[in-house]
Amino acid sequence: SIVNIIKTIEDSESAKVRLTSTNRESAYLDCIYKESEAPTFFLVFSPGSIPDNLDLQENCSVSIDKEHSPIVISAKIEALRGDRTLELRATEVIDPVSLREYFRVFYQTPITASHRPASNESIKGLWKVEGTTVDLSASGVLAIFPQEFQHREHVFLEFNLTGTNRTIQCLSHVVRIHHIRKSRCQIALRFDQIPPRDQDAIVTECMSEQRRQLRKRMQGE
């Protein structure tokens, strides 16, 4: 049962949660799991990280790094306790595959984007742009490039996972573009064709990076 599963989670495990604001935007935040009376539990955040416009009526997804094997649960927000703590009630366990849809961490590594034309498309439009990632999940990447791409579809990406030195190569498409200044663009891409082993490697890398960032943050407090 959900109660028994929550009871198996140890106090102070690292976690990540997807929260929704009142304007329907999602925020992906690192936090610490704290025990309560199952199926309720607490999530403790770093100061100032909980959005002011948090929608307390919206369910959220929580990934808890239980003994290096993540448990993903859907939870209802019961209350905001102070400015750093949320009280939640677990409602169901989600298949860990859902990590591919939302689990995202701040992650910087060089990335190269190029155009891989469809079979019936002219090769005259080939281009290649180098940039740096901002954050990463197994379903997509956000990165900064010096310019917009000439195409939004059939974008071939190549980047390395720094923790394992594994090279990821995949096809993607542009989801959105945000101009930071004239010479820089923040471009979000979603993976279209990526080997399952590479997706699993990205999830593992994201979990490892999350733990590293949490340790660093806690040591600095």
Side-chain angles (χ1 to χ4, degrees):
S1 70
I2 187 69
V3 172
N4 290 334
I5 291 174
I6 295 301
K7 285 181 177 179
T8 66
I9 303 171
E10 295 186 7
D11 195 53
S12 299
E13 290 279 14
S14 61
K16 192 174 186 73
V17 61
R18 179 183 63 182
L19 300 175
T20 305
S21 62
T22 52
N23 59 4
R24 311 307 300 163
E25 292 185 352
S26 294
Y28 304 86
L29 302 178
D30 296 322
C31 51
I32 298 295
Y33 171 89
K34 301 297 290 185
E35 292 178 344
S36 183
E37 185 175 348
T40 61
F41 60 94
F42 296 100
L43 294 178
V44 180
F45 300 81
S46 58
S49 60
I50 298 179
D52 293 332
N53 59 344
L54 175 64
D55 188 346
L56 298 176
Q57 305 303 314
E58 190 74 19
N59 281 10
C60 56
S61 299
V62 185
S63 171
I64 301 167
D65 187 21
K66 179 180 177 295
E67 297 177 357
H68 308 292
S69 178
I71 291 177
V72 187
I73 60 177
S74 178
K76 180 181 181 300
I77 300 175
E78 295 286 300
L80 177 62
R81 306 292 185 188
D83 61 352
R84 294 186 58 187
T85 305
L86 286 177
E87 182 180 359
L88 301 99
R89 177 180 295 273
T91 56
E92 64 175 327
V93 177
I94 304 174
D95 191 317
V97 172
S98 63
L99 281 172
R100 295 179 177 177
E101 295 303 317
Y102 82 89
F103 186 73
R104 184 178 299 271
V105 296
F106 174 75
Y107 195 85
Q108 287 189 308
T109 189
I111 185 171
T112 300
S114 58
H115 183 50
R116 179 156 298 187
S119 58
N120 61 346
E121 189 177 349
S122 171
I123 62 172
K124 293 181 179 180
L126 296 180
W127 49 263
K128 184 176 181 180
V129 183
E130 296 181 350
T132 304
T133 65
V134 176
D135 62 38
L136 176 68
S137 76
S139 62
V141 64
L142 180 67
I144 294 176
F145 294 93
Q147 64 195 61
E148 281 193 46
F149 303 156
Q150 296 177 35
H151 303 81
R152 296 178 69 99
E153 303 290 335
H154 300 288
V155 179
F156 182 74
L157 300 177
E158 182 172 351
F159 59 93
N160 282 345
L161 300 180
T162 56
T164 59
N165 202 30
R166 183 189 185 99
T167 299
I168 304 296
Q169 296 179 326
C170 61
L171 276 177
S172 68
H173 69 273
V174 175
V175 177
R176 65 181 182 276
I177 300 173
H178 173 65
H179 290 272
I180 303 174
R181 53 177 72 99
K182 288 184 178 179
S183 59
R184 300 177 75 197
C185 292
Q186 193 177 75
I187 301 178
L189 299 116
R190 186 171 183 85
F191 303 146
D192 293 324
Q193 296 179 25
I194 182 171
R197 287 186 178 181
D198 284 349
Q199 281 191 314
D200 293 339
I202 292 174
V203 170
T204 301
E205 181 84 352
C206 287
M207 294 298 297
S208 176
E209 181 63 18
Q210 179 200 34
R211 290 192 295 271
R212 188 191 69 80
Q213 292 176 16
L214 280 174
R215 285 195 301 268
K216 184 178 179 180
R217 186 176 302 135
M218 295 178 70
Q219 290 170 358
E221 292 181 355

